[in-house]
Amino acid sequence: MPQNEEVKSEGPNPNTVAHDEKITAVAVYTMTGLAIGKLITKEQVRVSTWLRTDMAPGYLPLHQARFLSLAGTGTGQAMTFSELHVPSSQVIAFHLLPPASDPLDYDPDEPHRKMEPVTVLIGFFRVGGFARMSTYSNLGKYLEATKETFLPIYQVEISNLATPSLDVVRVPYALVRQDAALIATQS
């Protein structure tokens, strides 16, 4: 990315991107709604897995952000901000916005691994996809053994339970906060 590329902002002060930084469009789900915006990170940061690392920020600074509040009744309230800081502790799900994607974070030819179909309920959202685990495990054992804050889900479809008219989001990979989710095997 060229040095000092400008991030167009609806606010009065546009942000500049340094030569070693990149812009990534992301979706951030909270218990009260959905935020969409652009993260500015160092070029070497793998944004899709960032929250699973020790380098995860305390706040996700989203630029050119939109927030759809689903806390009330009806179809929700949309708000726009030039910058929105979402506490990482309130993130219940996170993914890159299509068409952006990262390479797989696992070896698909690794032996003794399976993709277990799961349904995850988080706030106002239903996440369908697959959890990757040992072929000798089941969902219950996997969840007991996994101590990570964020659980990776693959081949994801996200729908909104409160507003079914919203489009289903399909992404190759998403993170869900394990302790904020109801997780079930699909039947």
Side-chain angles (χ1 to χ4, degrees):
M1 186 163 291
Q3 186 170 3
N4 295 328
E5 179 175 321
E6 187 172 299
V7 177
K8 297 192 185 327
S9 174
E10 294 170 36
N13 296 322
N15 299 292
T16 57
V17 178
H19 72 283
D20 64 341
E21 294 179 325
K22 65 181 176 182
I23 301 169
T24 307
V26 298
V28 179
Y29 299 77
T30 70
M31 289 302 258
T32 59
L34 167 64
I36 294 175
K38 297 178 180 179
L39 278 175
I40 298 173
T41 62
K42 293 295 183 187
E43 189 68 44
Q44 70 270 17
V45 171
R46 184 180 182 139
V47 176
S48 63
T49 61
W50 196 22
L51 294 177
R52 294 178 69 193
T53 69
D54 292 337
M55 300 302 294
Y59 285 83
L60 293 175
L62 300 179
H63 302 271
Q64 298 176 336
R66 295 175 308 202
F67 185 76
L68 178 61
S69 175
L70 299 169
T73 59
T75 60
Q77 179 182 2
M79 296 170 265
T80 303
F81 304 97
S82 58
E83 202 169 302
L84 174 65
H85 295 267
V86 181
S88 294
S89 62
Q90 291 186 23
V91 174
I92 59 172
F94 176 85
H95 62 79
L96 302 182
L97 283 180
S101 65
D102 279 335
L104 291 176
D105 65 339
Y106 64 89
D107 177 359
D109 295 323
E110 181 182 9
H112 309 296
R113 304 297 284 177
K114 67 179 178 180
M115 297 295 259
E116 184 75 22
V118 295
T119 297
V120 181
L121 303 174
I122 47 171
F124 296 98
F125 301 95
R126 178 191 181 277
V127 178
F130 296 87
R132 185 167 170 79
M133 66 186 71
S134 166
T135 54
Y136 305 109
S137 191
N138 61 37
L139 182 60
K141 290 177 185 175
Y142 173 71
L143 293 173
E144 283 299 321
T146 302
K147 302 301 180 199
E148 291 187 58
T149 302
F150 287 95
L151 183 69
I153 305 292
Y154 302 90
Q155 301 172 28
V156 178
E157 290 190 357
I158 302 171
S159 57
N160 185 299
L161 300 172
T163 313
S165 61
L166 290 177
D167 289 340
V168 172
V169 175
R170 290 175 179 82
V171 293
Y173 179 84
L175 298 176
V176 296
R177 183 175 293 276
Q178 190 168 324
D179 66 359
L182 302 175
I183 305 169
T185 54
Q186 294 181 351
S187 53

